[in-house]
Amino acid sequence: LDGLFDIVRSKIRHLLVYLTSDTLKRPWCAGEVTVAYLTHKRAVPLHTASFHSPSDDFISAAHILEYIAQSDFSLADYGLGEQALSDA
């Protein structure tokens, strides 16, 4: 993921986020959105019919911690902690 996040961090000006029902449930997608947010890139959402905006509960700190813990890898290893994920 270092390479992917580095591309978002340093080689793009805009991130097109293709939002489906699963986009924000995929750690690498959440990581890309968070890196774009932290590096002040413009993220342009493209909503599909299956996408529903996350609830306040989904983006709460408790849920973010659970989400990070269930990942096959730690987004925190890439400097993406719970507050950054929640803010993005």
Side-chain angles (χ1 to χ4, degrees), residues 1-10 12 27-29 31-32 35:
L1 289 179
D2 275 333
L4 178 62
F5 294 160
D6 186 53
I7 288 170
V8 174
R9 188 178 298 107
S10 62
I12 67 167
W28 58 91
C29 295
E32 288 177 296
V35 169

Side-chain angles (χ1 to χ4, degrees), residues 32 37 43 68:
E32 288 177 296
Y37 171 81
I68 291 170

Side-chain angles (χ1 to χ4, degrees), residues 30-69:
E32 288 177 296
V33 171
T34 303
V35 169
Y37 171 81
L38 292 172
T39 56
H40 308 286
K41 308 293 186 201
R42 183 167 184 225
V44 179
L46 179 61
H47 297 184
T48 64
S50 68
F51 178 74
H52 301 286
S53 293
S55 66
D56 289 341
D57 183 55
F58 180 84
I59 59 175
S60 71
H63 187 270
I64 296 294
L65 285 174
E66 179 184 332
Y67 177 78
I68 291 170

